[in-house]
Amino acid sequence: MTTQLKPMAQLQPNELKKSLVPRTDLPYLLKIMEIDTSSKEGFLASLPFCVRDTTAGTENEFQAVVVGKRHDLDLAITIEESNYYKNIVRRAASGDTSRKKMLGLERYLNHRTDDVWENSWVRFPRKTLNTYANHIFNADLKADKTNPASALRSDAQSFTFIKENESFVRIPVSYLLKLALADALGAVEVGHPLVRSTGEQMMAHFSNDNTSPEIFSFYPVGANGVESLGQRLAKETLIRFLFTQLLVQYAQKKFCLKEQGQQVKIFFSSSPPLMQKQLNDNISDSFYRSLFMSPCLSGWTRGQEKHEYMKLCHTVLSRSQLNSLSKLREAGIINTNLVVLPNTSNVCLANNGTHISMGSLKLKRLLKDPGSGYTSFHEKYLGDLVIKIKEHFLCLFPGVYSASPLRLSFEDFHPEKALGFLPHEIDYTHLRMIWRRWKRKAKIHVFGQAITPFGPVWLDRLLSHSFGLKGDFIPDARLIDYFVSLMSTDQSPSLNGAPGNEAQLKKDLSQMGVYDERMPLYQLVRIRKHAEMGYTGFEHRYFSIFENLGSDMGGAVDLQHLITALAYHYILTGKITHEMIPDTPDVESERRQIFFCSAINIPTCYVKTKTRNLFLQQIVAKIPKTRVSRRYPGYTRIRLLDYKKTLIKLIQTDGKELVQSFSMEATLSDLGERIRDPDTFSVAGKLNRGILKKEKKKDPMRFRGDIFNKKAEDFYINDLREQQMEESFAALKKEFHQMDVWVSHDQSPHREAIKTILGEKDLYTFLADVEAGVLDHSLDLIALKKLLYLIMLYVNMENKNATSPPPVY
């Protein structure tokens, strides 16, 4: 019996559509992806994201403060001179409005013992800019930077002012970095064209579309046989962090910031500053945006349009937080009308994280070749499945490799505040489960019954003092207080492999008042499409603060690299398919709740005993100790510690050959120690020790929430920043020593350029001479410029050695 095929013209629309869908069966995928099935070794070596196939880059979001007296600081001056502040004072004096907001603003402006002003702009005389820096500044003020005849931005006057007949510049710290680099490049000492050309390329990496400075990798990295991908990416980040600190030191001296009463500090910190939260509680959302939303002077051809977009993001996220109240009521978590209404302005955009992107050279090559058979359809189909697989492993990262410790006092433990954006990220069942177990974990019990705050702060503090209600400690609060992952809707799954599914989900969420179609889709792991980014791979968006970039960031990147390769191994051996991980909100929420429990440090979670997620079912079946839940019929109770240990064993067994080829045995052993003894080895534990280093009491719960959180901020601003500068300089010395060896056997322009900068002095001697000055911020301008130029040469060499042109990560 034979089957008669219909001619194409006779096919019905649904049949025609189905006939045009590219093949995704396993034999076809193995063929078009050039997977070698003749041997185990060949199979592993031909996998996407194997050791030699992967490149990586990083975007770091830093926190910035300016230290100085109120009368010298732009933030304080801007508030005092604003019509908003003047109107509040006038209306409070006339009795037309409550004095509460005016008193709140006065406290914000006056009650500072450390003179630290979070995300303040800086002011300095324009005459301190040299000709080239002035040229860059003028160009960045244009409405359209691609058009030389373009008019200025309509807000261009906001960035300059006249004081005592002298022209001044006022700009955010994020843009100060670019101007400092431009000024250094415009100096007569620049000397060699390699320095100038490389420095001009590096300026584009100092982006600023958000409240805080954002700086992405100067070059992509890959494993080189000696160092792993994580080690190389951590090293690039360290040197970029040091370069940023040198630009701050340069700006301090060259732009006379110290003489103007301003000291800039840039550092790793993930949670919004406490004082910025306090200010946000006393101003409108519109005024908050005018103070803290970046003007986008750098990194965008139409900066003012991007600025308007960032204001949209703030508006949408603020609205989403308000909309979460109705979800909490529907979930049964809020049962009365007694709630603390969130402000109409949200500070979550002041959360700062590290985004780590990985790309596959092989898949990029296949996508560029029209004859390969591997298309954007396959990129999306496989990419979504890889993300679903990887999400099962993400609980290994929060608090373990990165963290943002936070103490919640009892009066902070309102569900509408503590649960953050979780109502939009997991379903009601898991939301209720998390809230019940979080209350059980927290120290908010009276006679064995958990109680939450009533609302009036004075009453809540009285209860806290009377019954010893302390609240809780969270290892990675950023992941709760930020919109890290949008939940799919029943009609629009985001990871089913269908092209365009993100757009449909955003449309659904916009109609629900949760999101806006113009914003990118927030996800824990986001696919990076070749057609849009120039590379194909994944962006990992769940990293907060690394205590030690070499061991913490390096280990996290290596583990994520291994998990990515393992995901492709699962797919291309036929062990996991899309059908095994259904694309429904409840299945999606089921796996993600484990990640959020890890961030909060809730010890247990519940999984449906007959879950439709067959991959999760396989993992749970390997956990040695589980039990059927008495509280939730049809659910299995698992301990997170056991789940994490099982994941490590799963990697060691299912990915045995991959672990060997990646040389990951030591990394997995280190991961086991971090999980078994978090107080000693995890990043959350190490940060806590640093924060409380000078205190006799080492337990965060022994401190009030505001006191511990202020100590944490001080630690990030000072001790951690200095510690990471030392780590960065050590990495630079090692790299410059290697560069010295290279150029001594090379007649390349780099050898000539180094001689132009240093004369007869060698690199290592120069570094020894300047190390103390760099670390104590006392280096003079001439030495600063030389060190900046040498790092630019190093970046030039790394770019030339990169396996592909530097993509935008």
Side-chain angles (χ1 to χ4, degrees):
M1 181 179 178
T2 59
T3 302
Q4 183 69 38
L5 296 178
K6 295 181 182 179
M8 186 70 74
Q10 295 180 15
L11 290 174
Q12 296 298 314
N14 287 341
E15 296 175 314
L16 179 60
K17 183 178 180 181
K18 188 173 181 180
S19 70
L20 296 176
V21 174
R23 288 175 59 185
T24 56
D25 55 280
L26 185 57
Y28 184 71
L29 290 176
L30 293 171
K31 177 183 176 182
I32 63 172
M33 296 176 72
E34 300 176 359
I35 304 299
D36 183 357
T37 57
S38 61
S39 65
K40 276 188 177 181
E41 294 76 14
F43 184 85
L44 293 176
S46 60
L47 279 176
F49 292 92
C50 65
V51 174
R52 293 287 187 172
D53 182 54
T54 309
T55 63
T58 303
E59 179 189 60
N60 298 104
E61 299 170 339
F62 296 103
Q63 192 61 267
V65 299
V66 183
V67 182
K69 299 298 181 183
R70 170 179 172 175
H71 57 269
D72 293 323
L73 268 292
D74 182 85
L75 181 57
I77 294 171
T78 301
I79 293 172
E80 287 180 302
E81 293 181 350
S82 69
N83 288 337
Y84 180 87
Y85 178 69
K86 293 173 183 176
N87 287 332
I88 288 287
V89 171
R90 182 191 62 77
R91 295 185 66 198
S94 65
D96 291 338
T97 189
S98 168
R99 291 171 52 85
K100 184 178 178 181
K101 285 195 173 183
M102 186 199 75
L103 293 174
L105 281 171
E106 289 294 343
R107 281 196 299 270
Y108 175 81
L109 292 170
N110 292 322
H111 297 171
R112 287 178 184 264
T113 57
D114 53 9
D115 293 325
V116 172
W117 299 82
E118 57 293 325
N119 291 305
S120 175
W121 291 19
V122 292
R123 300 175 168 216
F124 57 88
R126 186 160 187 172
K127 66 183 180 183
T128 59
L129 296 174
N130 61 25
T131 303
Y132 183 64
N134 252 310
H135 166 73
I136 294 296
F137 183 47
N138 289 329
D140 285 336
L141 291 180
K142 289 185 177 295
D144 183 354
K145 297 174 191 176
T146 61
N147 179 10
S150 171
L152 295 178
R153 297 166 49 136
S154 63
D155 61 352
Q157 73 283 353
S158 303
F159 309 110
T160 59
F161 66 97
I162 302 296
K163 178 182 176 182
E164 297 177 356
N165 296 320
E166 185 177 0
S167 178
F168 275 71
V169 171
R170 63 174 298 268
I171 51 175
V173 171
S174 53
Y175 186 64
L176 176 74
L177 298 172
K178 179 181 178 181
L179 270 194
L181 177 52
D183 195 272
L185 290 173
V188 294
E189 301 96 328
V190 68
H192 199 280
L194 269 184
V195 172
R196 182 65 173 261
S197 62
T198 305
E200 288 175 347
Q201 293 172 5
M202 291 167 69
M203 278 196 291
H205 293 249
F206 290 86
S207 172
N208 56 346
D209 69 342
N210 214 333
T211 301
S212 305
E214 298 181 7
I215 308 165
F216 64 91
S217 290
F218 292 147
Y219 51 87
V221 304
N224 58 9
V226 179
E227 296 173 306
S228 69
L229 184 73
Q231 290 170 327
R232 297 207 67 212
L233 191 58
K235 179 175 63 181
E236 188 278 335
T237 303
L238 283 165
I239 292 174
R240 185 160 37 88
F241 177 72
L242 181 63
F243 190 79
T244 301
Q245 299 300 321
L246 295 173
L247 290 178
V248 170
Q249 294 183 27
Y250 181 90
Q252 283 286 154
K253 292 178 170 61
K254 181 62 167 59
F255 301 155
C256 304
L257 294 180
K258 186 177 181 180
E259 290 84 338
Q260 302 297 320
Q262 304 161 94
Q263 182 186 4
V264 174
K265 295 184 178 182
I266 293 178
F267 52 96
F268 285 98
S269 177
S270 286
S271 296
L274 296 175
M275 292 298 288
Q276 190 166 326
K277 288 182 179 180
Q278 178 185 318
L279 176 62
N280 183 62
D281 288 337
N282 291 284
I283 60 177
S284 69
D285 57 338
S286 180
F287 190 46
Y288 177 91
R289 288 191 285 274
S290 71
L291 292 175
F292 294 113
M293 289 295 96
S294 170
C296 305
L297 290 169
S298 176
W300 319 98
T301 56
R302 294 180 175 87
Q304 194 166 11
E305 291 181 11
K306 182 67 175 179
H307 176 52
E308 293 301 318
Y309 167 78
M310 292 312 301
K311 290 197 289 186
L312 166 74
C313 291
H314 180 260
T315 303
V316 170
L317 293 175
S318 298
R319 181 189 66 193
S320 293
Q321 186 188 29
L322 286 171
N323 286 347
S324 69
L325 292 177
S326 62
K327 287 195 171 185
L328 290 171
R329 180 182 288 278
E330 291 168 14
I333 292 173
I334 293 177
N335 296 309
T336 70
N337 291 325
L338 188 62
V339 297
V340 175
L341 283 175
N343 201 315
T344 54
S345 174
N346 187 275
V347 297
C348 74
L349 284 174
N351 274 329
N352 299 305
T354 292
H355 300 165
I356 295 172
S357 295
M358 296 181 186
S360 165
L361 296 172
K362 178 180 185 176
L363 296 184
K364 177 181 177 180
R365 172 177 59 80
L366 293 175
L367 285 168
K368 290 178 69 176
D369 179 7
S372 70
Y374 187 81
T375 67
S376 59
F377 178 92
H378 299 101
E379 177 188 37
K380 175 64 175 168
Y381 179 85
L382 292 174
D384 280 1
L385 181 52
V386 167
I387 291 172
K388 288 195 290 188
I389 294 170
K390 284 163 59 158
E391 284 188 354
H392 293 79
F393 294 88
L394 295 191
C395 64
L396 295 172
F397 295 92
V400 178
Y401 283 110
S402 73
S404 55
L406 184 74
R407 265 285 282 121
L408 284 176
S409 294
F410 173 70
E411 59 264 28
D412 300 320
F413 222 75
H414 298 273
E416 59 270 26
K417 293 176 65 176
L419 288 171
F421 285 92
L422 283 180
H424 300 310
E425 298 175 303
I426 55 178
D427 69 15
Y428 294 158
T429 299
H430 299 122
L431 189 62
R432 285 191 295 267
M433 288 177 172
I434 284 179
W435 182 238
R436 185 189 68 82
R437 283 172 288 134
W438 194 355
K439 289 190 296 181
R440 184 174 181 182
K441 172 203 170 203
K443 292 180 171 58
I444 56 170
H445 294 80
V446 176
F447 304 126
Q449 181 68 36
I451 65 169
T452 52
F454 291 93
V457 176
W458 66 268
L459 176 59
D460 293 334
R461 287 178 177 169
L462 177 62
L463 285 171
S464 174
H465 180 74
S466 301
F467 294 100
L469 308 177
K470 295 182 178 181
D472 196 24
F473 172 76
I474 311 174
D476 207 338
R478 171 183 171 267
L479 298 176
I480 307 302
D481 195 35
Y482 189 65
F483 219 152
V484 295
S485 185
L486 287 155
M487 187 170 64
S488 295
T489 63
D490 291 305
Q491 300 303 316
S492 301
S494 62
L495 295 172
N496 64 351
N501 56 8
E502 310 104 315
Q504 185 57 49
L505 174 59
K506 288 194 292 182
K507 184 176 181 179
D508 283 5
L509 294 173
S510 296
Q511 292 172 352
M512 295 164 62
V514 173
Y515 213 58
D516 191 283
E517 291 183 67
R518 291 165 287 182
M519 296 170 63
L521 192 67
Y522 287 8
Q523 292 177 306
L524 291 165
V525 182
R526 189 159 66 184
I527 192 170
R528 307 308 265 168
K529 299 175 184 176
H530 180 263
E532 298 172 1
M533 304 300 298
Y535 72 99
T536 179
F538 306 94
E539 180 188 36
H540 308 88
R541 300 168 54 84
Y542 43 83
F543 295 108
S544 300
I545 304 172
F546 300 105
E547 193 264 351
N548 180 286
L549 279 91
S551 60
D552 299 328
M553 180 180 175
V557 172
D558 284 338
L559 179 61
Q560 191 58 77
H561 184 197
L562 175 64
I563 291 170
T564 305
L566 179 60
Y568 276 97
H569 185 279
Y570 279 136
I571 296 168
L572 295 174
T573 53
K575 292 181 179 179
I576 299 181
T577 64
H578 267 291
E579 291 70 27
M580 293 177 66
I581 310 174
D583 296 288
T584 59
D586 62 314
V587 171
E588 184 179 84
S589 176
E590 185 176 46
R591 65 176 182 266
R592 290 180 184 170
Q593 57 140 349
I594 304 174
F595 170 82
F596 290 118
C597 286
S598 185
I600 302 171
N601 197 28
I602 296 173
T604 59
C605 64
Y606 297 85
V607 173
K608 279 188 176 180
T609 305
K610 295 182 179 180
T611 177
R612 291 181 294 145
N613 183 341
L614 299 184
F615 182 48
L616 181 59
Q617 192 177 94
Q618 292 172 11
I619 298 172
V620 173
K622 296 178 186 294
I623 299 176
K625 293 182 180 179
T626 61
R627 69 169 175 81
V628 174
S629 173
R630 293 185 293 270
R631 178 177 292 272
Y632 303 111
Y635 283 84
T636 297
R637 178 183 180 272
I638 62 175
R639 292 197 312 158
L640 252 67
L641 178 61
D642 295 334
Y643 181 85
K644 292 176 183 180
K645 288 180 179 179
T646 300
L647 287 180
I648 297 175
K649 290 181 181 178
L650 192 70
I651 294 170
Q652 291 170 329
T653 53
D654 290 1
K656 181 179 179 181
E657 291 83 7
L658 282 171
V659 171
Q660 293 173 349
S661 67
F662 278 67
S663 301
M664 285 284 289
E665 294 86 353
T667 300
L668 292 178
S669 176
D670 172 68
L671 172 60
E673 287 187 328
R674 290 171 184 255
I675 289 171
R676 286 189 298 270
D677 188 359
D679 290 342
T680 304
F681 297 107
S682 76
V683 171
K686 292 190 291 183
L687 288 177
N688 284 339
R689 289 202 302 276
I691 293 166
L692 301 177
K693 183 179 180 180
K694 300 174 184 177
E695 304 296 327
K696 292 182 180 180
K697 299 178 288 186
K698 304 301 181 184
D699 181 4
M701 296 301 294
R702 301 287 296 276
F703 296 86
R704 283 206 331 261
D706 57 338
I707 293 176
F708 176 85
N709 296 331
K710 183 64 174 68
K711 289 181 182 296
E713 284 188 4
D714 293 342
F715 173 69
Y716 304 146
I717 293 172
N718 298 306
D719 294 1
L720 184 62
R721 179 174 59 93
E722 298 294 340
Q723 172 186 316
Q724 291 174 336
M725 281 186 65
E726 291 179 10
E727 185 188 359
S728 298
F729 202 90
L732 185 70
K733 285 196 293 187
K734 184 178 179 181
E735 289 306 293
F736 272 22
H737 179 72
Q738 187 63 47
M739 187 165 75
D740 205 23
V741 172
W742 289 338
V743 298
S744 64
H745 298 90
D746 188 7
Q747 297 301 317
S748 71
H750 296 97
R751 183 175 183 179
E752 176 191 338
I754 292 173
K755 190 170 183 179
T756 302
I757 296 167
L758 296 181
E760 298 304 317
K761 185 177 287 189
D762 65 84
L763 278 170
Y764 218 65
T765 302
F766 172 74
L767 280 186
D769 291 343
V770 301
E771 181 172 5
V774 169
L775 298 180
D776 66 11
H777 312 278
S778 64
L779 209 59
D780 61 72
L781 273 175
I782 293 175
L784 273 171
K785 280 185 279 193
K786 288 182 179 180
L787 189 51
L788 287 169
Y789 298 156
L790 289 170
I791 294 177
M792 292 179 208
L793 285 179
Y794 169 79
V795 169
N796 181 274
M797 291 184 68
E798 289 296 314
N799 263 321
K800 288 184 181 298
N801 294 332
T803 51
S804 64
V808 177
Y809 279 93

